[in-house]
Amino acid sequence: MIDKLIKLQENSYSPYSNFAVSAIAVMKDGREFPGVNVENAAYGAAICAERSAILSAISNGYKKYDFKELYVMVSSGDIGMPCFQCRQVISELFEKDAIIHCCSTKGDIKDYTVAELCPYPFGEDDLK
């Protein structure tokens, strides 16, 4: 998966930060959805790689809890971690025991459950 993530970073559109991010959402049926960060001069219009991959799966007909795991990598050589906007989407669509694999381009991986990354999620019950 490390090689796939490194190759995928070539698709990143990150001319402002020069900080490429790649992600691959793996579904319970084994299908994979790639995503990269896409920046924009109006920074708020950018999208992270994690959300790009997750939303691609949803756009292809997958539903909440169909996700098995998510791989994330940043181009800096360090372990990549999802931002808090991405964590919000992850906490909404993944089961709490799903694994998020945070990877480096050097091959290092740290695994976290969704519950570990999002210990106090904001969810549908908070809207009642």
Side-chain angles (χ1 to χ4, degrees):
M1 193 62 77
I2 295 294
D3 291 337
K4 286 183 185 180
L5 289 164
I6 290 170
K7 177 74 174 154
L8 186 57
Q9 286 187 352
E10 295 174 11
N11 296 344
S12 169
Y13 179 73
S14 47
Y16 305 103
S17 70
N18 294 310
F19 188 76
V21 183
S22 56
I24 299 174
V26 181
M27 312 312 291
K28 289 181 179 175
D29 67 5
R31 188 161 174 199
E32 296 177 0
F33 289 89
V36 296
N37 60 320
V38 179
E39 296 180 349
N40 191 283
Y43 293 132
I47 187 166
C48 298
E50 299 92 326
R51 285 181 286 138
S52 175
I54 293 166
L55 298 179
S56 179
I58 295 294
S59 295
N60 279 277
Y62 286 88
K63 307 289 183 213
K64 183 175 185 172
Y65 302 145
D66 284 344
F67 296 87
K68 178 184 175 191
E69 57 194 345
L70 180 71
Y71 290 82
V72 180
M73 178 184 282
V74 300
S75 61
S76 69
D78 296 325
I79 294 281
M81 298 293 292
C83 74
F84 279 86
Q85 287 182 347
C86 290
R87 291 180 197 206
Q88 176 63 37
V89 172
I90 290 166
S91 73
E92 176 89 13
L93 298 173
F94 285 65
E95 293 183 83
K96 302 303 174 214
D97 62 347
I99 302 298
I100 310 304
H101 306 278
C102 302
C103 309
S104 80
T105 56
K106 300 171 192 167
D108 300 317
I109 301 174
K110 288 189 179 179
D111 293 339
Y112 301 93
T113 65
V114 171
E116 290 171 325
L117 280 181
C118 310
Y120 304 105
F122 179 85
E124 60 188 74
D125 290 340
D126 295 298
L127 299 174
K128 296 179 184 175

